[in-house]
């Protein structure tokens, strides 16, 4: 019981001592703060007196003068020692060494950076056609961004690119292309003699440059002695129309030269072999259809034909004959 009582007294003593020390420290901090505050107030009051201002001004001048002499001493010491270093050639060697070392570190770092990413080198796109440039950019796994402006260069020609050719960039980065819209007042070209495919490529370029869709509408086909089959004969609007007002280009396509027309003879009552020989000489294509009949005299003989006799058809057309076949 006595041991337990003495233990409680010891614990209580240490707790009391801890709090008494804490109170003393708090009072000491407060006292120091008050002393510093009084000192600041005293200096401020003294500074605005005539004697106080001159005292602190002289003190500042003295310290500034000391600093000036100290800097002068350091510069003289440096020049004195550096002259010896320069005369010995050590300084020049040190500078060259660090320059070479910096270049080596830069090249190594650059190579590591290039090899650590999927990078591509930008080719030259200026003066290329816009569709060719876009295909090449996409093949390099880059993203083309198209802008357009008026220029003396032809429609669809690249006049500026960023990044510039020779730069190395990561894949999936954007490549900006500025495309020529031609002169400020641009006109529609004459597409006569163009293929439909070539016109489609041209219209794609125009749509990219004008930033709106231009459609192609085929309104017919005609025979032509001038243009081969598949080439454009005429267009609407006509060449010279203002491009800014065009939404659709309508075209007429050539079917080639007009073929020679042949008057079809009457093949009724002839055998298949006889008809085949005549068809070959006429330059036609033969189609044979068999029709069942009870009349044995008409078996293997032409009963009917399409087109009929004396009609005119173009050379190379197909003619169908109906041949009798014994009824089963």
């Amino acid at each position: 019981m006595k041991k337990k009582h003495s233990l409680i007294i010891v614990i209580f003593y240490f707790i009391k001592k801890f709090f008494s020390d804490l109170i003393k420290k708090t009072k000491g901090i407060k006292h120091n703060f008050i002393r510093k505050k009084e000192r600041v107030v005293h200096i401020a009051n003294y500074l605005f007196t005539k004697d106080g201002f001159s005292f602190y001004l002289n003190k500042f001048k003295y310290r500034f003068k000391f600093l000036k002499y100290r800097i002068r001493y350091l510069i003289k010491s440096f020049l004195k020692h550096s002259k010896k270093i320069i005369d010995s050639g050590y300084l020049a060697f040190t500078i060259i060494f660090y320059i070479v070392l910096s270049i080596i570190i830069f090249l190594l770092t650059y190579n590591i950076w290039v090899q650590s990413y999927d990078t591509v080198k930008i080719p030259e796109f200026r003066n290329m056609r816009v569709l060719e440039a876009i295909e090449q950019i996409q093949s390099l796994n880059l993203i083309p961004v198209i802008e357009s402006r008026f220029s003396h260069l032809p429609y669809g020609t690249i006049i500026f690119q960023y990044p510039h050719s020779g730069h190395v960039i990561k894949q999936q980065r954007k490549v900006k292309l500025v495309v020529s819209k031609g002169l400020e007042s641009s006109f529609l070209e004459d597409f006569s003699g163009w293929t439909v495919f070539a016109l489609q490529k041209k219209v794609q370029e125009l749509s990219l440059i004008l930033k709106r869709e231009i459609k192609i509408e085929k309104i017919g086909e005609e025979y032509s002695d001038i243009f081969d089959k598949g080439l454009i004969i005429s267009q609407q609007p006509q060449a010279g129309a203002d491009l800014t007002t065009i939404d659709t280009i309508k075209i007429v396509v050539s079917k080639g030269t007009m073929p020679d027309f042949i008057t079809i003879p009457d093949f009724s009552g002839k055998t298949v072999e006889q008809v085949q020989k005549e068809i070959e000489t006429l330059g036609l294509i033969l189609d044979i259809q068999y029709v069942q009949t009870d009349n044995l005299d008409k078996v293997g003989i032409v009963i009917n034909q399409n087109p009929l006799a004396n009609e005119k058809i173009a050379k190379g057309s197909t003619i169908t004959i109906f041949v009798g076949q014994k009824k089963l």
Side-chain angles (χ1 to χ4, degrees), residues 1-249:
M1 188 72 181
K2 287 182 179 180
K3 287 183 180 180
K4 189 175 181 180
H5 182 69
S6 59
L7 182 62
I8 292 169
I9 292 170
V10 170
I11 292 169
F12 179 75
Y13 170 76
F14 280 110
I15 292 171
K16 183 181 177 183
K17 190 173 185 307
F18 170 76
F19 280 106
S20 62
D21 291 342
L22 184 64
I23 291 166
K24 285 179 183 179
K25 286 181 181 179
T26 306
K27 286 181 178 179
I29 292 168
K30 185 178 179 182
H31 179 69
N32 289 335
F33 176 75
I34 292 169
R35 285 182 62 190
K36 286 180 180 178
K37 183 179 178 182
E38 289 174 352
R39 180 173 173 78
V40 169
V41 171
H42 173 72
I43 291 170
N45 292 331
Y46 184 63
L47 180 63
F48 289 102
T49 62
K50 187 176 180 181
D51 294 337
F53 181 77
S54 60
F55 170 76
Y56 283 108
L57 183 63
N58 291 331
K59 190 175 182 181
F60 174 76
K61 285 180 180 178
Y62 170 76
R63 290 192 175 181
F64 181 76
K65 193 174 182 180
F66 173 77
L67 181 63
K68 184 173 70 173
Y69 282 116
R70 183 67 180 167
I71 292 170
R72 189 180 295 174
Y73 171 76
L74 290 172
I75 291 171
K76 284 182 178 179
S77 300
F78 173 76
L79 292 174
K80 183 179 178 181
H81 290 88
S82 62
K83 189 176 180 182
K84 293 180 181 178
I85 294 170
I86 292 168
D87 292 340
S88 65
Y90 175 76
L91 182 63
F93 172 77
T94 305
I95 292 170
I96 293 169
F97 172 77
Y98 280 110
I99 289 172
V100 173
L101 183 63
S102 301
I103 292 170
I104 292 170
I105 292 171
F106 171 76
L107 292 174
L108 288 173
T109 307
Y110 180 76
N111 287 332
I112 291 169
W113 178 80
V114 169
Q115 292 172 5
S116 61
Y117 296 99
D118 293 330
T119 56
V120 290
K121 189 176 181 180
I122 301 295
E124 180 66 64
F125 295 120
R126 286 179 300 175
N127 297 320
M128 286 180 65
R129 303 297 297 176
V130 62
L131 290 181
E132 294 175 16
I134 288 173
E135 288 175 3
Q136 196 168 343
I137 288 170
Q138 290 174 342
S139 68
L140 295 172
N141 200 15
L142 298 171
I143 302 169
V145 178
I146 306 298
E147 291 185 8
S148 57
R149 66 176 67 152
F150 292 110
S151 166
H152 66 282
L153 293 175
Y155 249 103
T157 305
I158 307 296
I159 56 179
F160 177 78
Q161 69 178 79
Y162 185 81
H164 301 293
S165 60
H167 284 211
V168 177
I169 63 172
K170 298 178 188 177
Q171 292 183 356
Q172 290 297 318
R173 292 294 175 89
K174 293 180 180 180
V175 177
K176 178 182 175 182
L177 300 177
V178 179
V179 186
S180 172
K181 292 199 289 186
L183 299 175
E184 195 161 353
S185 54
S186 297
F187 304 103
L188 189 66
E189 295 181 50
D190 184 3
F191 299 120
S192 300
W194 287 41
T195 63
V196 177
F197 178 75
L199 178 60
Q200 288 172 342
K201 299 280 278 185
K202 181 67 177 180
V203 166
Q204 284 180 1
E205 287 185 3
L206 292 175
S207 299
L208 282 170
I209 295 164
L210 298 174
K211 295 188 176 179
R212 58 186 175 83
E213 186 181 6
I214 297 177
K215 298 178 182 178
I216 300 172
E217 183 181 343
K218 183 178 174 182
I219 58 175
E221 293 184 347
E222 295 178 2
Y223 291 111
S224 172
D225 295 329
I226 300 171
F227 299 104
D228 293 336
K229 187 176 181 179
L231 300 182
I232 296 169
I233 298 174
S234 61
Q235 66 189 64
Q236 287 292 337
Q238 297 290 338
D242 188 357
L243 277 173
T244 58
T245 62
I246 295 172
D247 294 319
T248 304
I249 300 173

